[in-house]
Amino acid sequence: MGIMVGEKGAMMAHIDRYAVFGHPINHTKSPRIHQIFAEQTGQALEYTAQDVPAEQFESAVARFFTEGGKGLNCTLPLKELAWNYATNKTERAQLSKAVNTLAVQPDGSVLGDNTDGKGLVTDLLANHKISLSGIRILILGAGGGARGIIAPILEQCPKTLVIANRTVEKAVKLAAEFHGKGFITGCGFEALEYQQFDLILNATSASLSGKLPPLPIGLLATNGSCYDLAYGNELTAFVRWGIENQALKSLDGLGMLVEQAAEAFFIWRGIRPETQAVIELLNSERQNG
Ligand code: ATR
């Protein structure tokens, strides 16, 4: 927080401004989450949501920063555009080819980061006590959602990481980009027959419309868990699939949402908020309709 001198010479508090840009944006929980983080950590800031169609992205971001905005979150369908916009990028953003967090640096340049993968891994490890090291992991989907989580997952040294996708070539190509960072392969859904995984992550956009990719019986190992990157007020189709297939835990992406926000907050403010209470609050709100 800086201090501005007002018209009459009085000292006025100047509030740092942040926002989330997306299209559509009406259901976003980000302003709420960041408001709670700000109160919890005693930081004075403003965080708003703006509906920004892709074709207006560049001008909207430029205007926001010119008018003194300090940082932005970018959500669908703007993450690739944000990647292009950023002057400098973190390594994890480079690898994911998508940026969900923009931060103005002291020299005026704009740093692009991607906190989605870190958010997912933190939710799995810290909140759900699901260790990724030495286990067999399957990611369904090979789009932007999948790409953003691969490097942070491989850092945890799973035994294997398989990317399965409807369009097989996309899965094979995506896996090839990460060769050398771990044991990772790409395939189609048919190739999953007779395979078993300890953790299955759903990163297809099919989830948003309540659809599921075709998954063979027995795909989930005994005591395995499921995680849908998407979330909603109702159980997603994939979370239901996990429950029907006796998953130890069948989770949706609400925790990941809060954790990626906490990571963005840390980038902007240099302070790490507590996430557990926020996740519990959002969870109880949706359970109560
Ligand atoms: P995102 O950035 O959200 O990942 P995307 O890049 O459009 O969005 O990728 C969407 C992913 O969901 C892709 O893996 C897509 O499969 P294809 O590459 O074959 O298109 C997958 N997907 C979308 N609808 C699907 C469906 N009905 N069944 C299976 N996979 C689906």
Side-chain angles (χ1 to χ4, degrees), residues 212 220 226 235-247 250:
L212 268 187
L220 187 66
C226 291
L235 299 182
T236 69
F238 182 67
V239 169
R240 270 189 272 119
W241 183 89
I243 295 168
E244 284 156 16
N245 285 268
Q246 281 80 47
S250 196

Side-chain angles (χ1 to χ4, degrees), residues 76-77 79-80 98 140-148 163-168 170-171 174 189 202-209 211-214 229:
L76 297 177
K79 292 183 188 183
E80 283 80 13
L140 306 170
R147 177 185 286 281
I163 317 289
N165 196 44
R166 179 174 61 183
T167 313
V168 182
K170 268 173 76 178
L174 184 59
F189 295 124
N202 183 24
T204 68
S205 52
S207 183
L208 300 170
S209 46
K211 295 200 199 91
L212 268 187
L229 270 57

